[in-house]
Each structure stands twice: as structure tokens, then as C-alpha cells.
Amino acid sequence: GAGVSQTPSNKVTEKGKYVELRCDPISGHTALYWYRQSLGQGPEFLIYFQGTGAADDSGLPNDRFFAVRPEGSVSTLKIQRTERGDSAVYLCASSLGTGPDTQYFGPGTRLTVL
Amino acid sequence: AQSVAQPEDQVNVAEGNPLTVKCTYSVSGNPYLFWYVQYPNRGLQFLLKYITGDNLVKGSYGFEAEFNKSQTSFHLKKPSALVSDSALYFCAVRDNVNTDKLIFGTGTRLQVFP
């Protein structure tokens, strides 16, 4: 079946602009996660949704970052007033439920802020 | 604090030889441990996980991992390496304290030489 999909695959923007990154999870998966991976590092947690609600947003670096999942499926990560330090690969993952359920990752969106 | 350590930045092995990629962890409570592989310009692919039961876990592509509670380790192994196994490998542990987010190590680059 279809895996997790993310669009766009690449996004280049200028400092100060607003961007939206989209994640389409595996059908039927109730949990959705956003991670950020900087060059040479492991993924770092940003936010986690269980259904429509954000169960844990403790990884969001500041209030320029926001994410929604209005219908409990597709999620959008929104970044306002982008900074060069936001440049990274943004990864989305979904799992059937919670606990030890495997998180399946999408291919990521490479964000470059000039 | 819960954490994962991958002490080797890179592991080199000749094709046909056994390989080991090391991982140690620190968690509160029972550990849920995962291995993922990342090929260039692609997302993370799930290899295997330890939840409970047998200390030797078998996963995809002939990989296996050994859970050792006394040494708090979860090393990834394969009896005979292939050139196509060359990739970036990440160990991760589920955060038992807060939510179901994964805490990743910094990754180990495996290079298999023909």
C-alpha cells in the first residue's frame, strides 16, 4: 500500500517568508509525528498528533512553528518568518496507534532558507 | 534524561564479512528500541524493533539486533555484509516518560567495500 507522502520534496525560500509543508500519512494511522533532521544529525522531534489534536508540541523550537491536522489525516507544518537556521530536512512519520507501534517515515521535505 | 548513543560515526567492512553497528541507550522503565536505515536523499526505513521477549530480534534485509539489558545495548548485526547495505543507520528509543516520540542517535555510516 501507499506509504507516507510529503510535499514538496524540496522547498527553497527567502529569509522572512512563510512556508507550509504537507504530510499525508498512511491510511488508517491515527498517530502522526513531525521531526527535523539537520545535516549530520539524527532526526529531532517537533510535534506529535493523536487524531486531530496535538498531544505533544514540546519539540517546536519557537512560536514561528505551528502544525495542524484538522481532519485527523493530512497534516501541515507551518513556519513563519523563516530564518536560515530553519534549513533542514523535515520528516513526517505515522503509526497505527501509539506505544511501541512502528513509526513509518515519509521521504522528507528539504527546506532551504536563503 | 532518556538518550541513545551511537559511538561510531563510521563502520567499514568488507563484503561478505559480518557487521556490527553499536547502540547503547538510557531510558526510564522498559525500553522500546528501533533501528532505521537511511539511503541518500530518502527517508528513514524501518529495519526492526525490540519490545519484549527474545533478546535476538530479526528484521528486514537479513539484519538482526541483540538486546542486552545488563549492558543497555542494542547492537545491529548482519552475518554477511553486502555492498548495497552501505547507508546511514539510526538507533532510536521510544520516550517512555512523555509521549511516543522517538529519540534518535546521531547515526552511523556503514561502508561496505567490495
Side-chain angles (χ1 to χ4, degrees):
Chain A
V4 178
S5 61
Q6 293 186 246
T7 54
S9 54
N10 278 286
K11 177 70 177 179
V12 180
T13 191
E14 294 180 342
K15 181 175 178 292
K17 299 289 188 181
Y18 168 83
V19 297
E20 289 189 352
L21 312 179
R22 175 188 166 111
C23 171
D24 208 329
I26 293 171
S27 179
H29 280 195
T30 62
L32 185 147
Y33 308 79
W34 284 98
Y35 294 84
R36 180 168 72 173
Q37 186 176 21
S38 300
L39 197 62
Q41 300 295 318
E44 293 180 321
F45 170 78
L46 294 175
I47 186 170
Y48 151 58
F49 288 89
Q50 182 58 243
T52 60
D56 181 2
D57 64 358
S58 62
L60 295 177
N62 51 59
D63 61 6
R64 296 186 297 106
F65 288 73
F66 188 71
V68 295
R69 195 186 185 198
E71 297 178 358
S73 179
V74 170
S75 176
T76 305
L77 178 66
K78 309 180 180 194
I79 311 174
Q80 298 177 318
R81 305 183 304 280
T82 52
E83 300 178 356
R84 292 195 180 88
D86 299 335
S87 296
V89 176
Y90 289 81
L91 296 168
C92 176
S94 70
S95 65
L96 190 59
T98 58
D101 284 355
T102 300
Q103 294 181 27
Y104 295 94
F105 283 79
T109 294
R110 182 175 298 278
L111 175 66
T112 303
V113 182
L114 301 177
Chain B
Q2 304 189 100
S3 64
V4 168
Q6 293 183 245
E8 303 153 317
D9 289 337
Q10 180 152 331
V11 169
N12 299 317
V13 64
E15 188 174 32
N17 283 0
L19 69 87
T20 299
V21 182
K22 295 179 181 177
C23 172
T24 58
Y25 65 89
S26 172
V27 296
S28 304
N30 294 323
Y32 295 158
L33 297 157
F34 301 79
W35 275 102
Y36 286 85
V37 59
Q38 188 172 40
Y39 295 97
N41 299 315
R42 295 177 66 176
L44 298 168
Q45 293 181 31
F46 169 73
L47 281 178
L48 51 79
K49 66 181 178 184
Y50 173 81
I51 304 301
T52 187
D54 259 347
N55 289 342
L56 186 64
V57 179
K58 294 191 182 296
S60 306
Y61 313 120
F63 284 92
E64 56 191 27
E66 186 170 10
F67 171 68
N68 188 316
K69 188 172 183 178
S70 63
Q71 298 185 4
T72 60
S73 67
F74 189 55
H75 300 331
L76 182 69
K77 303 184 179 193
K78 188 173 183 183
S80 178
L82 300 172
V83 172
S84 58
D85 292 331
S86 300
L88 193 54
Y89 290 80
F90 289 97
C91 182
V93 64
R94 175 181 170 268
D95 183 346
N96 287 345
V97 174
N98 296 314
T99 61
D100 296 311
K101 68 187 181 194
L102 293 177
I103 299 167
F104 285 87
T106 51
T108 298
R109 183 163 301 282
L110 173 66
Q111 190 72 48
V112 181
F113 295 95

